[in-house]
Amino acid sequence: MTLQSGSSEPEASRDSSPTTDRLIDCVLSHNFSDLPADAVRHAKTFLADTLAVGVAGKCNPASDKILAAAQQWDGDRTGSCRILGREGIRLSPHSAAVVNGFQIHALEWDALHEPSVVIALCTTTAALLSEVEERPVSLDEMLLALIVGVETAVFFGAAAKTEPRFFRPSAAGLMGAAMAIGRLRKFDRVQMINLMGIAYSQVSGTMQAHWEGSETLPLQIGIAARAALTAADLVANGMTGPHDVVDGKFGYFKLIEQGENLDPHFNAWANPWKITEVAHKPFPAGRATQATLTALMDMRADHDFEMENVASLTAYVPSLIKLLVGRTCKPDMQPAYARLCLEFVAPMMIRQRKIDPALFSAESFSNPQTLDDAAKIHVILDDNPDPNALSPQKIVLELNDGRTIKQTVDMPFGSPLRPLSRADELTKVSQCFAAAAFDRDPAELFAIVEQSSPYPNSRDVMDTVTQSRGDT
């Protein structure tokens, strides 16, 4: 990592747009001491959650491919940055950001800001993990950067007026990650403007990978995390970038998303902090599946039935849900496709009472029973006019004995209005560690992220998700 260079005040004479100025004012206007306790508490909780799902992402077979490529990029160099769930592996900061970013999103288990449809922590966290391994950073510094990164990513996602074309976790996520790194490096105002411009110049990641269910989908997160580090390194060495990148002629809200009046989103900055609105994903499947999975969890608690008793399950959903997970179950589908296929995960929830990452396999996909089960699942478009709506969803289960069970889900399990308990959080981290065969007590992770006065070094936090018990 290259540390901040001297002040870039000569560049201040170059005009930046009022919109960019306003956004940079928001990014720079708060320090850790200003943050409400609730925002800090949520940041700690979701940092732990994001690290845990990154450990679990090791079990995705494609993660070994990404790691092998990253090691080739580094050649004979000895890296300083560790990889989640992988003992003894060290990579350069940029290579580590790609691998950690991939693993965090690889199982579709990472947290989401629902109103903006942005999986808002993955890119920023992956970039920060490389940054904090390069020099001593206390956890409170890291938490401030994370909170600012989430807030920025949500800004770029929430102002969109159409359904996603670019993959928001990587596109909006890159903008958030860059601002987080800039805060951590203590960049001055003009450097932050240049940082935003250079980050924007690297925005990538489209919904095509999501549409196809390609294993490239989580790779887009790693690429975005690396791009945030690249932008910061360039700025630290004096590079300048375009300045009118928010709503300029070819800015973010002209090319990447279609936005209109940004004033409400500026007024919503830190009101409340968006980290307090983030939702857990209790199940390792796309967010758009979580309402149906929640309904099935509730139905199984209240009614006695098995998959053999099911005549049909119909989910009446908004257009975005239909787009994201209303896809056909196929015997030759890839795991990334299956995690976004309600026809596959809904029967698994009934049969297993959970979503098991180990069952996203060629053997499961080609099992004739899988296709028989999938034929009973129907995803029907409702009349919701909002192209970004995730809810409400109405789930109707018809049983062979004539019973009909219905449930409307406004907030899935894990959402702010139906949050996980601490026991649920520990259970999820245990499941994450088990998926990666990572031998560590989940309580240790929560204990260290919740420590304060003084805050621990962020490298100590990394110890709990990169070193097994045998190595501590």
Side-chain angles (χ1 to χ4, degrees):
M1 178 189 71
T2 304
L3 294 179
Q4 174 188 357
S5 64
S7 173
S8 50
E9 287 305 319
E11 187 63 17
S13 61
R14 179 177 169 186
D15 289 339
S16 57
S17 74
T19 307
T20 299
D21 285 338
R22 190 175 179 185
L23 184 54
I24 295 300
D25 285 342
C26 291
V27 169
L28 294 176
S29 60
H30 298 274
N31 295 310
F32 188 79
S33 59
D34 305 328
L35 297 173
D38 194 40
V40 175
R41 178 175 61 82
H42 278 81
K44 292 177 176 181
T45 295
F46 283 102
L47 174 59
D49 179 79
T50 305
L51 295 175
V53 299
V55 171
K58 172 189 170 185
C59 78
N60 184 321
S63 66
D64 288 339
K65 304 174 189 177
I66 306 298
L67 175 62
Q71 290 172 322
Q72 289 177 342
W73 300 334
D74 286 355
D76 295 331
R77 289 174 293 170
T78 301
S80 58
C81 299
R82 290 172 286 179
I83 304 302
L84 296 169
R86 295 182 181 271
E87 302 166 36
I89 301 293
R90 288 184 180 268
L91 299 174
S92 66
H94 289 68
S95 295
V98 175
V99 180
N100 281 325
F102 179 90
Q103 289 191 187
I104 287 170
H105 192 59
L107 300 183
E108 292 277 355
W109 218 346
D110 45 333
L112 174 89
H113 183 262
E114 296 187 346
S116 62
V117 199
V118 175
I119 302 170
L121 283 94
C122 49
T123 302
T124 292
T125 302
L128 287 175
L129 294 183
S130 288
E131 188 73 11
V132 303
E133 290 273 78
E134 283 283 87
R135 64 183 174 92
V137 172
S138 63
L139 180 60
D140 55 329
E141 294 177 277
M142 184 180 182
L143 291 171
L144 172 64
L146 180 63
I147 290 169
V148 168
V150 168
E151 197 76 15
T152 306
V154 167
F155 173 88
F156 280 98
K161 299 302 180 184
T162 59
E163 67 183 23
R165 298 175 300 169
F166 286 80
F167 186 47
R168 284 180 189 160
S170 59
L174 167 53
M175 305 305 284
M179 294 298 94
I181 297 298
R183 284 304 311 260
L184 207 56
R185 295 195 188 188
K186 298 180 171 56
F187 278 177
D188 66 33
R189 178 185 179 79
V190 176
Q191 287 176 309
M192 293 295 282
I193 292 172
N194 285 317
L195 177 59
M196 183 174 289
I198 296 176
Y200 174 62
S201 298
Q202 300 177 84
V203 164
S204 66
T206 74
M207 286 297 290
Q208 189 63 33
H210 191 292
W211 181 252
E212 295 183 20
S214 168
E215 62 189 16
T216 304
L217 182 66
L219 177 60
Q220 294 180 159
I221 299 302
I223 291 170
R226 179 177 63 186
L229 296 173
T230 298
D233 289 344
L234 290 167
V235 169
N237 283 281
M239 187 73 178
T240 62
H243 287 180
D244 194 6
V245 301
V246 179
D247 61 350
K249 181 176 178 61
F250 299 104
Y252 194 99
F253 289 107
K254 296 294 177 63
L255 295 184
I256 308 302
E257 299 275 16
Q258 297 300 306
E260 297 173 0
N261 181 13
L262 298 179
D263 285 342
H265 304 287
F266 279 116
N267 294 336
W269 186 277
N271 185 31
W273 284 102
K274 305 309 173 291
I275 191 68
T276 66
E277 298 179 336
V278 169
H280 279 99
K281 284 188 205 161
F283 315 111
R287 163 56 185 84
T289 70
Q290 305 282 312
T292 297
L293 299 179
T294 294
L296 291 174
M297 179 183 71
D298 293 342
M299 290 173 178
R300 287 300 301 267
D302 296 335
H303 303 275
D304 180 24
F305 63 92
E306 300 294 340
M307 192 64 206
E308 286 72 19
N309 308 127
V310 174
S312 69
L313 184 153
T314 304
Y316 296 90
V317 302
S319 60
L320 182 59
I321 302 298
K322 174 73 171 175
L323 173 73
L324 297 180
V325 299
R327 57 186 69 194
T328 302
C329 183
K330 301 183 292 187
D332 60 347
M333 60 187 174
Q334 296 297 310
Y337 180 103
R339 276 185 271 274
L340 301 165
C341 178
L342 196 59
E343 289 186 3
F344 178 72
V345 297
M348 187 193 298
M349 189 68 183
I350 297 173
R351 288 190 178 278
Q352 307 294 327
R353 295 177 171 79
K354 65 179 182 179
I355 303 300
D356 185 351
L359 295 180
F360 289 83
S361 65
E363 181 180 5
S364 295
F365 304 151
S366 61
N367 188 327
Q369 185 65 64
T370 297
L371 300 180
D372 289 345
D373 289 348
K376 299 179 181 181
I377 312 301
H378 310 285
V379 183
I380 305 299
L381 183 66
D382 67 14
D383 58 359
N384 192 322
D386 183 353
N388 288 302
L390 296 173
S391 60
Q393 297 180 41
K394 181 180 177 182
I395 314 303
V396 179
L397 185 68
E398 301 281 354
L399 299 179
N400 292 327
D401 62 8
R403 286 181 293 163
T404 298
I405 308 171
K406 300 179 182 180
Q407 183 168 336
T408 298
V409 179
D410 290 308
M411 284 288 181
F413 184 42
S415 298
L417 295 182
R418 191 178 174 182
L420 302 190
S421 67
R422 174 46 54 89
D424 294 326
E425 292 168 358
L426 286 167
T427 296
K428 179 180 175 180
V429 174
S430 295
Q431 292 171 341
C432 288
F433 287 179
F438 184 71
D439 182 19
R440 194 80 188 217
D441 183 355
E444 293 179 277
L445 173 58
F446 283 100
I448 195 162
V449 298
E450 292 176 349
Q451 181 180 325
S452 60
S453 302
Y455 281 91
N457 188 296
S458 56
R459 290 176 183 165
D460 296 332
V461 177
M462 281 292 286
D463 288 346
T464 64
V465 286
T466 57
Q467 298 176 15
S468 71
R469 284 189 181 98
D471 289 340
T472 56

